[in-house]
Amino acid sequence: MNLAFSIFLQSFLWLYRNLLPLMGMNVLWLLLTIPLVTSPPATAALFYAVNEILGGRPVSALIFFAAFRRYFIASWRFTVVNVSALAVGIYGVIFYLNQSEWLRFAALVFVYLLIAWLMAQVYLYPLLIANQSQSIVALYRRAFALA
């Protein structure tokens, strides 16, 4: 029982020490997602800041903005690919639903591909932060494998 209380106390103290920086990073992210142009890099910077906190390193607004600048192009590459793939998937579902009966099966395939695509989205930014040297295709493969 003593060990369980000790672990709970350590977890609570870790959360207490890191709650204010996490709240600050979330407020920065919220302010930077209002303009559409800065939304993807702000998301990448938030993931970077959380990764730094989980690694036991201190974070500040300077680290957030350094990550914002560092991942600006890469995060926009992800966004362009994601929005394009989402548009193609939705168009595929709509197109094949309006076809003859035997082609409607293809709409179901597109629905499953869209679901897999959305599941892979959860892993893209953490993989971008963790594997900076890999190509975008390799990151998408790993995200789909994890999903």
Side-chain angles (χ1 to χ4, degrees), residues 117-139:
W117 185 261
L118 291 173
M119 289 172 53
Q121 298 304 307
V122 176
Y123 301 105
L124 284 177
Y125 279 107
L127 286 173
L128 173 67
I129 302 304
N131 304 307
Q132 300 163 9
S133 61
Q134 288 188 345
S135 69
I136 193 169
V137 175
L139 293 177

Side-chain angles (χ1 to χ4, degrees), residues 45 48 60-72:
Y48 182 82
S60 65
L62 295 174
I63 291 174
F64 183 88
F65 286 114
F68 181 87
R69 285 187 300 274
R70 180 178 186 180
Y71 294 108
F72 193 89

Side-chain angles (χ1 to χ4, degrees), residues 61-143:
L62 295 174
I63 291 174
F64 183 88
F65 286 114
F68 181 87
R69 285 187 300 274
R70 180 178 186 180
Y71 294 108
F72 193 89
I73 301 296
S75 63
W76 265 107
R77 274 191 230 143
F78 275 136
T79 302
V80 168
V81 171
N82 287 337
V83 169
S84 301
L86 184 64
V88 167
I90 291 172
Y91 179 76
V93 170
I94 293 169
F95 176 78
Y96 285 114
L97 279 177
N98 292 324
Q99 299 301 315
S100 63
E101 283 189 35
W102 65 276
L103 276 177
R104 288 187 185 172
F105 176 73
L108 186 63
V109 171
F110 271 95
V111 167
Y112 283 125
L113 288 174
L114 279 173
I115 290 170
W117 185 261
L118 291 173
M119 289 172 53
Q121 298 304 307
V122 176
Y123 301 105
L124 284 177
Y125 279 107
L127 286 173
L128 173 67
I129 302 304
N131 304 307
Q132 300 163 9
S133 61
Q134 288 188 345
S135 69
I136 193 169
V137 175
L139 293 177
Y140 274 104
R141 272 193 214 136
R142 290 193 65 195

Side-chain angles (χ1 to χ4, degrees), residues 19-86:
L19 191 59
L20 194 60
L22 282 171
M23 287 174 34
M25 297 303 134
N26 278 298
V27 168
L28 280 175
W29 174 82
L30 184 63
L31 292 174
L32 288 171
T33 55
I34 293 171
L36 185 61
V37 175
T38 59
S39 183
T43 303
L46 180 65
F47 274 95
Y48 182 82
V50 169
N51 187 34
E52 291 293 305
I53 288 174
L54 290 175
R57 296 174 290 277
V59 294
S60 65
L62 295 174
I63 291 174
F64 183 88
F65 286 114
F68 181 87
R69 285 187 300 274
R70 180 178 186 180
Y71 294 108
F72 193 89
I73 301 296
S75 63
W76 265 107
R77 274 191 230 143
F78 275 136
T79 302
V80 168
V81 171
N82 287 337
V83 169
S84 301
L86 184 64

